[in-house]
């Protein structure tokens, strides 16, 4: 693997993770529990879409084969996607969406803060921009975990159930492979093992505050680094890609 | 041959597509221009990563420059340094307030925006400081939703980032 190939794959991983999460979150548009939350999640999805666009634009440039960010988003199949599995999991109820978001926001803030020090100027620039946005995303998801956890029996139960369902997918965020190894050596990628202890500490404090219990067992579902996904991604792509695939030359 | 000053004043005629009382130059998204007689490259930075108005701004910039004699217009999106509300001019802030949007009250230097503790925002209509945040998120990515406890009007606050 050349460093150019590694960087292409790394950009796809980051870009796909943002794109698929944003696509999932945007399913709440018009279905939020009340107007302000509907706007909140739509706004958050929009920020994450924007980040995905910038990253896929850079991926296309790194690949150097004349593809655009739209080609990458709309004309790749599931096995060619590298988004983290946690992002493609169904939204479930609002509590599950929120707890998934809290786990991801906590990771993302630490990750992009480190990435902003990357030797790759484009990645560092996108990361620095993202930190501002993830900061208020995290404030939003953390505050709702707290409110649901300390709310009614119903809200607590829904939150705990959501956590139980999403938990086995969180560990994959920290998985590294030869792409990471190569790019860490060049000062480009973030060493994910350095982020884990802090993430665990912050999340366990959040869970404790909301009276939640992290599920027992240490099973971690992985696969996305190799392009292996559950069935959910295929349905997301079918919906997201159907229009451009039907009219590949259409212009807005 | 155009001068940089001329070009910035041309671009100042382009309104922000979502907040038409201020121009895209006042908004601070136009970072730089490099040009010769026929070709021009414009560096533009997004306010928010996913701001849907960016595409409109690019189209407007392209149209304006072609109308004024340039043959090729290249728009280059740059992310560093990241856009900040600190770049809004004092004049732009007054225009926002007159339009009914409370302008950002703090500088990002005090970092209060990171902790979520914001100052009491002044109601753009009755100027009362007795206001409350309804939601951190508003009608566009750059705004939060507030309510005045005195005149009871809801209003947008241009978030400080």
């Amino acid at each position: 693997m050349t460093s150019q190939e590694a960087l292409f794959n790394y950009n796809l991983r980051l870009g796909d993770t943002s794109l698929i999460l944003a696509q999932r979150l945007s399913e709440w548009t018009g279905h939020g529990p009340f107007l302000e939350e509907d706007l909140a999640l739509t706004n958050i999805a929009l920020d994450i879409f924007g980040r995905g666009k910038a990253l896929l634009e850079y991926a296309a440039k790194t690949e150097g084969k004349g593809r655009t960010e739209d080609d990458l988003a709309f004309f790749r199949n599931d096995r060619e996607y590298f988004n983290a599995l946690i992002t493609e999991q169904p939204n479930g109820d609002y509590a599950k969406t929120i707890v998934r978001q809290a786990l991801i926001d906590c990771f993302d803030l630490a990750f992009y803060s480190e990435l902003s020090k990357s030797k790759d100027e484009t990645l560092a620039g996108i990361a620095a921009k993202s930190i501002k946005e993830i900061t208020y995303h995290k404030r939003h998801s953390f505050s709702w975990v707290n409110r649901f956890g300390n709310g009614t029996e119903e809200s607590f139960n829904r939150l705990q159930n959501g956590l139980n369902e999403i938990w086995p997918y969180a560990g994959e965020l920290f998985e590294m492979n030869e792409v990471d190894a190569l790019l860490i050596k060049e000062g480009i990628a973030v060493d994910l093992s350095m982020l884990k202890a802090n993430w665990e500490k912050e999340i366990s404090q959040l869970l404790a505050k909301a009276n939640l219990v992290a599920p027992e067992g240490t099973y971690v579902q992985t696969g996305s680094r190799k392009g292996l996904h559950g069935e959910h991604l295929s349905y997301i792509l079918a919906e997201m890609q159907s229009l451009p695939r039907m009219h590949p030359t259409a212009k807005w | 041959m155009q001068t940089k000053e001329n070009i910035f004043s041309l671009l100042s005629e382009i309104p922000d597509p979502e907040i038409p009382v201020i121009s895209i130059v006042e908004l601070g998204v136009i970072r730089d221009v490099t040009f010769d007689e026929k070709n021009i490259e414009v560096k533009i930075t997004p306010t928010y990563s996913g701001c849907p108005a960016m595409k409109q701004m690019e189209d407007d910039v392209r149209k304006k420059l072609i109308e004024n004699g340039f043959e090729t217009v290249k728009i280059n999106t740059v992310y560093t340094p990241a856009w900040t509300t600190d770049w809004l001019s004092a004049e732009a802030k007054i225009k926002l307030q007159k339009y009914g949007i409370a302008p950002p009250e703090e500088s990002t230097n005090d970092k209060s925006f990171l902790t979520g503790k914001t100052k009491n925002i002044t109601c753009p209509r009755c100027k009362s400081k007795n206001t409350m945040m309804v939601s951190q998120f508003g009608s566009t990515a750059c705004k939060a939703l507030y309510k005045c406890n005195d005149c009871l009007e809801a209003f947008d606050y241009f978030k400080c980032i």
Side-chain angles (χ1 to χ4, degrees):
Chain A
M1 180 180 286
T2 65
S3 28
Q4 190 200 358
E5 285 164 351
L7 185 59
F8 175 53
N9 183 270
Y10 196 68
N11 291 338
L12 282 182
R13 184 201 294 177
L14 303 186
D16 291 347
T17 295
S18 299
L19 175 64
I20 297 301
L21 178 61
Q23 180 72 12
R24 265 290 182 237
L25 289 176
S26 66
E27 288 171 13
W28 276 107
T29 309
H31 300 276
F34 54 91
L35 185 62
E36 286 79 7
E37 270 310 291
D38 199 296
L39 282 174
L41 225 49
T42 310
N43 266 298
I44 291 168
L46 196 59
D47 287 340
I48 300 173
F49 256 125
R51 193 201 313 159
K53 179 175 183 282
L55 288 163
L56 288 179
E57 215 168 28
Y58 187 42
K61 200 174 152 200
T62 329
E63 187 195 29
K65 291 187 179 164
R67 289 205 276 185
T68 66
E69 67 274 24
D70 282 351
D71 295 332
L72 291 175
F74 296 128
F75 298 98
R76 277 183 302 147
N77 295 321
D78 38 13
R79 289 292 292 268
E80 298 163 290
Y81 262 78
F82 296 96
N83 60 285
L85 295 178
I86 193 171
T87 60
E88 70 197 44
Q89 298 312 308
N91 285 334
D93 58 17
Y94 209 68
K96 183 182 169 189
T97 297
I98 287 293
V99 74
R100 177 186 64 199
Q101 198 57 32
L103 300 179
I104 296 174
D105 288 341
C106 187
F107 173 83
D108 274 355
L109 190 56
F111 174 79
Y112 283 100
S113 300
E114 280 306 308
L115 192 66
S116 70
K117 301 172 204 158
S118 171
K119 279 190 186 159
D120 184 298
E121 280 178 19
T122 308
L123 284 179
I126 296 170
K129 177 90 197 153
S130 304
I131 295 169
K132 292 187 179 197
E133 296 167 358
I134 300 165
T135 302
Y136 61 74
H137 299 169
K138 184 179 170 189
R139 194 155 68 220
H140 174 261
S141 60
F142 270 46
S143 78
W144 275 107
V145 166
N146 198 7
R147 284 164 82 173
F148 284 144
N150 291 293
T152 61
E153 200 184 325
E154 176 76 12
S155 72
F156 168 78
N157 285 337
R158 282 173 179 257
L159 190 64
Q160 181 68 59
N161 289 340
L163 178 68
N164 296 348
E165 286 176 29
I166 210 73
W167 190 253
Y169 300 97
E172 192 203 32
L173 291 169
F174 298 94
E175 193 186 26
M176 295 198 283
N177 61 14
E178 68 278 9
V179 170
D180 300 76
L182 204 154
L183 295 178
I184 288 170
K185 228 182 275 170
E186 297 185 9
I188 292 173
V190 175
D191 183 349
L192 300 176
S193 65
M194 306 288 283
L195 306 179
K196 200 161 186 207
N198 235 332
W199 182 87
E200 283 170 347
K201 191 175 143 209
E202 250 191 284
I203 290 298
S204 73
Q205 283 169 352
L206 174 73
L207 299 186
K209 233 165 97 183
N211 314 309
L212 294 166
V213 184
E216 280 181 34
T218 50
Y219 179 73
V220 175
Q221 178 65 50
T222 69
S224 77
R225 301 287 192 251
K226 297 186 191 122
L228 300 174
H229 299 271
E231 67 173 325
H232 305 303
L233 180 66
S234 312
Y235 287 101
I236 296 177
L237 295 185
E239 190 180 20
M240 187 177 84
Q241 298 180 335
S242 62
L243 190 69
R245 282 192 189 249
M246 196 176 285
H247 305 282
T249 55
K251 294 252 180 292
W252 287 103
Chain B
M1 181 86 173
Q2 299 270 19
T3 64
K4 198 172 253 195
E5 222 169 53
N6 281 349
I7 289 166
F8 267 90
S9 94
L10 272 178
L11 297 178
S12 296
E13 294 168 13
I14 302 173
D16 176 323
E18 284 175 345
I19 312 168
V21 288
I22 59 172
S23 79
I24 59 170
V25 172
E26 286 173 307
L27 186 65
V29 298
I30 305 292
R31 302 313 300 157
D32 198 12
V33 291
T34 43
F35 55 93
D36 56 31
E37 274 176 35
K38 290 179 180 169
N39 313 299
I40 182 161
E41 183 180 333
V42 182
K43 279 192 181 147
I44 188 165
T45 196
T47 51
Y48 284 76
S49 302
C51 179
M54 293 312 296
K55 179 72 174 64
Q56 183 66 46
M57 292 185 203
E58 288 177 20
D59 292 349
D60 293 346
V61 166
R62 186 165 279 122
K63 186 161 172 270
K64 179 65 90 184
L65 294 170
I66 298 277
E67 279 171 3
N68 283 278
F70 285 102
E71 286 175 16
T72 64
V73 179
K74 194 179 165 204
I75 311 274
N76 195 354
T77 306
V78 294
Y79 293 95
T80 338
W83 180 83
T84 161
T85 37
D86 296 349
W87 293 347
L88 283 169
S89 64
E91 206 183 326
K93 288 182 183 175
I94 294 169
K95 288 183 188 170
L96 282 175
Q97 192 170 40
K98 283 190 180 151
Y99 188 60
I101 299 172
E105 292 210 355
E106 310 122 87
S107 156
T108 52
N109 292 330
D110 64 15
K111 295 296 173 206
S112 60
F113 78 108
L114 287 176
T115 59
K117 285 177 202 137
T118 49
K119 285 182 190 169
N120 287 336
I121 306 305
T122 309
C123 170
R125 290 186 181 77
C126 74
K127 309 291 179 277
S128 163
K129 280 201 175 274
N130 181 17
T131 59
M132 61 177 278
M133 185 168 75
V134 178
S135 172
Q136 284 183 63
F137 301 88
S139 55
T140 63
C142 53
K143 287 175 275 174
L145 191 60
Y146 272 72
K147 186 184 150 188
C148 176
N149 292 325
D150 284 336
C151 74
L152 303 180
E153 280 288 341
F155 64 92
D156 276 332
Y157 170 56
F158 206 104
K159 273 189 285 209
C160 184
I161 67 163

